[in-house]
């Protein structure tokens, strides 16, 4: 994976990504409380899918891989394909909390170092029982390096029957220690027993390079776990399960078994965890030196900084800044209160508060918080006019200023939590990007949206020609919701809401109730899709009068009974993936009624 130093693209979508992951986290929390409601986990997977697509668009592939694994784990939970559900919930939640902090670090201009996400990625895969991954570019140790004397085995190869007998006996001891460790991860004597068994395999049975390398390196990982420098995570346990399978293969086929098909991926994963462990045992140090592990990773300073970004350090910094801003706002409000109560008011006394508000405004601007910065700027102007006697110092005006500052203070924590989410182009203080960067982002998002809408059109045509096979439209809501997410990131909220109406018609009428629409209704659906597609093209080319195109979408949805959206208890309400309200039901025929003739849908190309 390539390093991604250009952070301006991420800055454009970071706020929306944070909000999407927050909604995914809330859906997961609700599902944990109520596992019987599968729709909550489906909402979670929808949000994760949207975040994954966005990260791929901005070329943060390491973070996108983590989101992809989170989505797969959520799907596996829905399908009841995960044994350790509590551990899966914990790993999912950890990913949703850590990723926004990691992305914030990249947004601030630091290197994208995806290798620090690998433990999280592998923990997610371990929960599904999948094999672990290695970072092939940033971490690719040379396994052809000759083994040192510290990894020596028996001088001469043993007969196959002796290898089988000894390896099978030692495997039983390995499995006994492994089972005890799985049952009690905190008992450090169990990984020490695993290390002892691996050492006996190497020193009394193994002769060839492949088995000796595996047993030597595996014992070092057990060393690191037993001395507490390596956490016994789900991924580490899965690795030891893989070691057990290799011992079995060694017992069955002898030296030739591991030599003809060496367990390279397993060894690379073990070396990865050794490289990142804090252990300094002689064996661990010898392995670090032999395979030059320190040269394969980013510098310690870079890695520690990146690790710190997913450990809450930046959250502490933001909280400190927030406290300082609140203190300044409180000082201004107290000064206004004293001025209001004074009998002999001197307007010039308020000039000092103008400087304080300037400081608050500048701090909010550096944080990219456009809305509160604009509020402070407006009130700063009012205070300056009163101090210079350009405006009367009446009670109503002063109370309005105090109320506005109170709003900023009360909402500051929420604004910082959604840092960057208010970055619309019309907002004062919002982040401005170079025109070339804006064009790059717009093209990427619109290109992906066009692919999705083309697929949705093909699915509609296939639905008509099948005829009326409702399975043909099941993917349409997901495709259109991804477009809706892209539109919101570009601050095209009106089009995103209309997209919610189209999704509502397909999801409720065609998928949930499995009704057969009339020709007129299919024409209206086609018109709505065509107008959205035309609107996307016009937006990409920056043509004027684009908002009038949406009138066609709006009128088509009105005819279908899915505009305006209403808010009620329907899953398409504000808590659902579509972000809109629940539409009124459209007059669609039941599947038991007569089906209209299949006709081509007049969708614009």
């Amino acid at each position: 994976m390539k390093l991604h130093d250009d952070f301006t693209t991420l800055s454009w979508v970071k706020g929306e990504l944070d909000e999407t992951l927050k909604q995914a986290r809330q859906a997961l929390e609700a599902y944990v409380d109520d596992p019987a409601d599968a729709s909550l986990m489906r909402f979670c997977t929808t949000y994760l899918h949207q975040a994954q697509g966005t990260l791929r668009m901005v070329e943060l592939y390491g973070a996108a891989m983590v989101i992809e694994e989170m989505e797969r784990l959520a799907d596996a939970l829905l399908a009841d394909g995960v044994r350790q559900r509590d551990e899966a919930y914990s790993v999912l939640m950890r990913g949703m909390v850590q990723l926004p902090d990691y992305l914030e670090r990249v947004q601030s201009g630091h290197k994208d170092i995806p290798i620090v996400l690998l433990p999280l990625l592998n923990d997610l895969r371990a929960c599904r029982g999948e094999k672990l991954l290695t970072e092939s570019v940033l971490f690719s140790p040379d396994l052809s390096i000759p083994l040192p004397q510290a990894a020596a085995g028996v001088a001469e190869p043993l007969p196959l029957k002796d290898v089988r007998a000894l390896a099978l006996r030692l495997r039983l001891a390995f499995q006994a220690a492994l089972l005890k460790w799985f049952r009690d991860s905190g008992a450090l004597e169990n990984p020490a027993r695993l290390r002892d068994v691996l050492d006996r395999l190497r020193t009394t049975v193994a002769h060839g390079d492949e088995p000796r390398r595996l047993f030597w390196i595996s014992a070092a990982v057990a060393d690191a776990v037993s001395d507490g420098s390596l956490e016994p995570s789900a991924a580490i346990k899965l690795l030891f399960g893989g070691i057990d399978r290799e011992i079995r293969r060694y017992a069955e086929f002898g030296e030739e078994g591991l030599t003809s098909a060496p367990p390279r991926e397993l060894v690379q994963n073990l070396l990865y965890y050794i490289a990142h462990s804090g252990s300094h045992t002689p064996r661990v140090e010898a392995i670090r030196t032999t395979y030059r592990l320190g040269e394969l990773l980013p510098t310690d300073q870079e890695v520690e900084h990146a690790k710190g970004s997913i450990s809450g350090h930046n959250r502490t910094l933001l909280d400190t800044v927030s406290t300082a801003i609140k203190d300044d706002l409180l000082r201004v409000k107290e000064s206004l209160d004293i001025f209001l109560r004074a009998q002999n008011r001197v307007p010039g006394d308020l000039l000092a508060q103008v400087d304080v508000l300037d400081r608050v405004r500048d701090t909010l601007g550096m944080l990219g918080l456009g809305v509160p910065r604009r509020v402070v700027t407006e009130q700063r102007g009012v205070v300056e006019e009163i101090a210079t006697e350009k405006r009367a110092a009446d009670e109503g005006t002063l109370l309005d200023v105090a109320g506005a500052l109170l709003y900023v203070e009360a909402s500051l924590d929420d604004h910082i939590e959604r840092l960057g989410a208010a970055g619309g182009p019309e907002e004062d203080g919002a982040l401005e990007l170079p025109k070339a960067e804006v064009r790059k982002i717009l093209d990427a998002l619109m290109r992906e949206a066009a692919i999705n809408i083309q697929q949705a059109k093909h699915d509609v045509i296939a639905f008509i020609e099948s005829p009326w096979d409702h399975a043909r439209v099941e993917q349409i809501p997901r495709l259109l919701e991804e477009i809706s997410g892209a539109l919101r990131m570009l601050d095209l909220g009106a089009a995103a809401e209309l997209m919610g109406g189209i999704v509502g018609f397909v999801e409720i009428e065609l998928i949930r109730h499995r009704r057969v629409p009339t020709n007129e209704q299919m024409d209206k659906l086609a018109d709505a899709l065509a107008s959205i597609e035309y609107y996307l093209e016009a937006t990409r080319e920056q043509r004027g009068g684009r908002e009038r195109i949406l009138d066609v979408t709006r009128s088509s949805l009105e005819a279908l009974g899915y505009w305006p959206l209403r808010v009620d208890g329907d899953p398409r309400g504000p808590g659902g993936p579509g972000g809109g309200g629940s539409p009124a039901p459209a007059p669609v025929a039941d599947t038991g009624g007569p089906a209209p003739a299949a006709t081509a849908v007049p969708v614009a190309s």
Side-chain angles (χ1 to χ4, degrees):
M1 296 179 188
K2 73 182 185 66
L3 295 177
H4 188 89
D5 295 320
D6 187 0
F7 59 90
T8 54
T9 305
L10 175 62
S11 299
W12 182 259
V13 298
K14 176 63 166 56
E16 183 69 23
L17 275 170
D18 283 350
E19 183 63 23
T20 301
L21 289 173
K22 178 183 176 182
Q23 290 174 320
R25 187 178 72 248
Q26 291 172 343
L28 175 62
E29 291 170 347
Y31 179 73
V32 172
D33 292 337
D34 184 13
D37 189 353
S39 65
L40 295 171
M41 185 58 85
R42 282 195 287 270
F43 290 161
C44 179
T45 58
T46 298
Y47 294 131
L48 291 174
H49 189 81
Q50 178 179 325
Q52 180 199 158
T54 303
L55 287 169
R56 292 193 184 281
M57 288 179 192
V58 297
E59 299 179 3
L60 288 171
Y61 298 113
M65 284 180 64
V66 172
I67 293 286
E68 182 180 5
E69 289 299 332
M70 290 167 67
E71 184 182 353
R72 289 177 177 174
L73 181 54
D75 286 335
L77 285 166
L78 265 178
D80 199 24
V82 179
R83 292 182 180 179
Q84 302 294 332
R85 297 182 71 87
D86 288 342
E87 186 169 2
Y89 295 147
S90 176
V91 176
L92 269 177
M93 191 64 67
R94 176 153 55 94
M96 293 174 188
V97 170
Q98 289 182 352
L99 264 184
D101 287 346
Y102 177 79
L103 295 174
E104 188 170 332
R105 174 187 177 277
V106 178
Q107 182 189 17
S108 67
H110 294 281
K111 283 184 179 180
D112 174 27
I113 306 178
I115 199 168
V116 303
L117 297 172
L118 191 57
L120 173 60
L121 184 69
N122 279 337
D123 281 349
L124 290 163
R125 293 178 66 85
C127 288
R128 294 191 297 117
E130 292 290 323
K131 66 178 183 179
L132 306 186
L133 301 176
T134 57
E135 223 320 314
S136 59
V137 174
L138 294 180
F139 188 80
S140 53
D142 183 3
L143 299 183
S144 66
I145 294 175
L147 290 170
Q149 185 59 34
V154 296
E156 297 292 335
L158 301 178
L160 180 57
K161 65 176 183 178
D162 293 343
V163 171
R164 285 177 175 171
L166 291 170
L168 285 173
R169 186 167 68 248
L170 289 172
R171 187 190 177 210
L172 289 176
F174 185 89
Q175 288 178 322
L178 190 64
L179 182 60
K180 291 179 181 178
W181 183 42
F182 282 1
R183 289 175 176 172
D184 183 8
S185 298
L188 299 182
E189 64 271 13
N190 292 319
R193 290 193 186 102
L194 293 172
R195 174 200 60 205
D196 294 341
V197 173
L198 291 164
D199 280 342
R200 290 177 62 191
L201 277 165
R202 175 176 55 82
T203 58
T204 65
V205 186
H207 171 74
D209 286 349
E210 295 301 338
R212 285 191 294 125
R213 180 183 295 109
L214 173 64
F215 300 144
W216 183 48
I217 293 172
S218 301
V221 176
D223 260 348
V225 175
S226 64
D227 67 17
S229 60
L230 193 60
E231 182 183 355
S233 64
I236 293 290
K237 292 177 182 177
L238 193 63
L239 284 177
F240 274 88
I243 294 168
D244 176 59
R245 289 190 292 274
E246 292 302 322
I247 296 174
R248 182 188 64 187
R249 192 158 67 94
Y250 182 58
E252 289 179 0
F253 304 105
E255 300 277 339
E256 180 61 26
L258 296 188
T259 301
S260 60
R264 295 297 173 88
E265 287 190 15
L266 176 60
V267 172
Q268 283 187 342
N269 276 289
L270 292 168
L271 286 174
Y272 171 81
Y273 282 99
I274 290 174
H276 284 277
S277 75
S279 180
H280 296 286
T281 67
R283 190 198 320 258
V284 169
E285 290 297 340
I287 289 175
R288 285 199 181 106
T289 301
T290 300
Y291 292 101
R292 299 192 288 271
L293 299 183
E295 300 175 12
L296 302 176
L297 303 176
T299 65
D300 290 343
Q301 185 178 5
E302 288 175 335
V303 172
E304 286 306 312
H305 191 282
K307 286 183 177 179
S309 72
I310 58 176
S311 301
H313 295 178
N314 62 324
R315 181 73 262 169
T316 302
L317 175 61
L318 286 176
D319 288 342
T320 301
V321 173
S322 174
T323 300
I325 293 174
K326 289 178 180 178
D327 289 342
D328 282 341
L329 291 174
L330 180 61
R331 190 176 301 115
V332 174
K333 289 190 298 178
E334 288 176 347
S335 297
L336 292 176
D337 184 62
I338 293 171
F339 180 82
L340 189 61
R341 297 173 185 273
Q343 293 184 350
N344 299 317
R345 300 175 182 174
V346 180
D349 292 345
L350 294 177
L351 278 175
Q353 307 313 312
V354 173
D355 294 335
V356 176
L357 291 175
D358 278 338
R359 183 167 65 243
V360 172
R361 179 187 63 181
D362 293 340
T363 303
L364 293 171
M366 286 187 291
L367 292 174
L369 299 175
V371 172
R373 180 181 186 273
R374 186 174 62 210
V375 173
V376 170
T377 299
E378 292 170 353
Q379 305 315 311
R380 182 255 185 216
V382 173
V383 173
E384 184 178 38
E385 289 178 359
I386 293 175
T388 56
E389 299 186 26
K390 294 180 180 178
R391 179 183 294 213
D394 59 271
E395 181 177 354
T397 301
L398 291 170
L399 290 176
D400 287 344
V401 172
L405 296 180
L406 180 63
Y407 155 77
V408 173
E409 180 184 358
S411 63
L412 188 59
D413 289 339
D414 183 58
H415 278 295
I416 286 184
E417 187 68 28
R418 298 180 290 108
L419 188 58
E426 78 286 356
E427 292 174 347
D428 186 24
L431 179 65
E432 277 193 33
L433 298 177
K435 290 183 178 179
E437 194 64 30
V438 173
R439 169 58 57 188
K440 177 181 176 182
I441 299 163
L442 188 64
D443 285 346
L445 288 174
M446 288 304 177
R447 185 165 55 250
E448 294 297 323
I451 293 172
N452 279 20
I453 207 162
Q454 282 291 336
Q455 183 59 53
K457 287 163 51 181
H458 289 317
D459 288 349
V460 169
I461 295 173
F463 172 61
I464 295 172
E465 294 177 347
S466 53
W468 316 119
D469 179 4
H470 291 79
R472 302 298 182 94
V473 296
E474 288 180 353
Q475 295 300 315
I476 291 180
R478 177 185 64 81
L479 295 169
L480 299 187
E481 281 165 353
E482 290 177 3
I483 300 175
S484 180
L487 292 171
R488 286 192 178 88
M489 291 174 196
L490 293 172
D491 201 35
L492 302 174
E497 289 183 5
L498 289 168
M499 189 68 73
I502 301 174
V503 171
F505 175 83
V506 175
E507 193 165 71
I508 295 174
E509 303 299 336
L510 304 185
I511 297 176
R512 184 187 306 173
H513 298 305
R514 304 185 75 79
R515 291 173 175 149
V516 174
T518 65
N519 288 342
E520 180 182 359
Q521 287 160 343
M522 292 308 294
D523 286 344
K524 293 299 181 183
L525 177 62
D527 289 343
L529 284 171
S531 57
I532 285 289
E533 183 180 34
Y534 187 49
Y535 174 83
L536 294 177
E537 293 174 357
T539 302
R540 185 176 183 179
E541 296 171 9
Q542 295 295 295
R543 299 200 297 264
R546 298 189 298 274
E547 297 306 314
R548 290 196 298 272
I549 300 173
L550 296 179
D551 291 341
V552 178
T553 315
R554 199 171 288 110
S555 62
S556 298
L557 289 174
E558 287 174 354
L560 291 171
Y562 276 74
W563 191 265
L565 300 175
R566 72 169 190 269
V567 178
D568 55 20
D570 191 276
R572 302 298 314 171
S582 172
V588 183
D590 291 332
T591 50
T599 57
V601 181
V603 181
S605 300

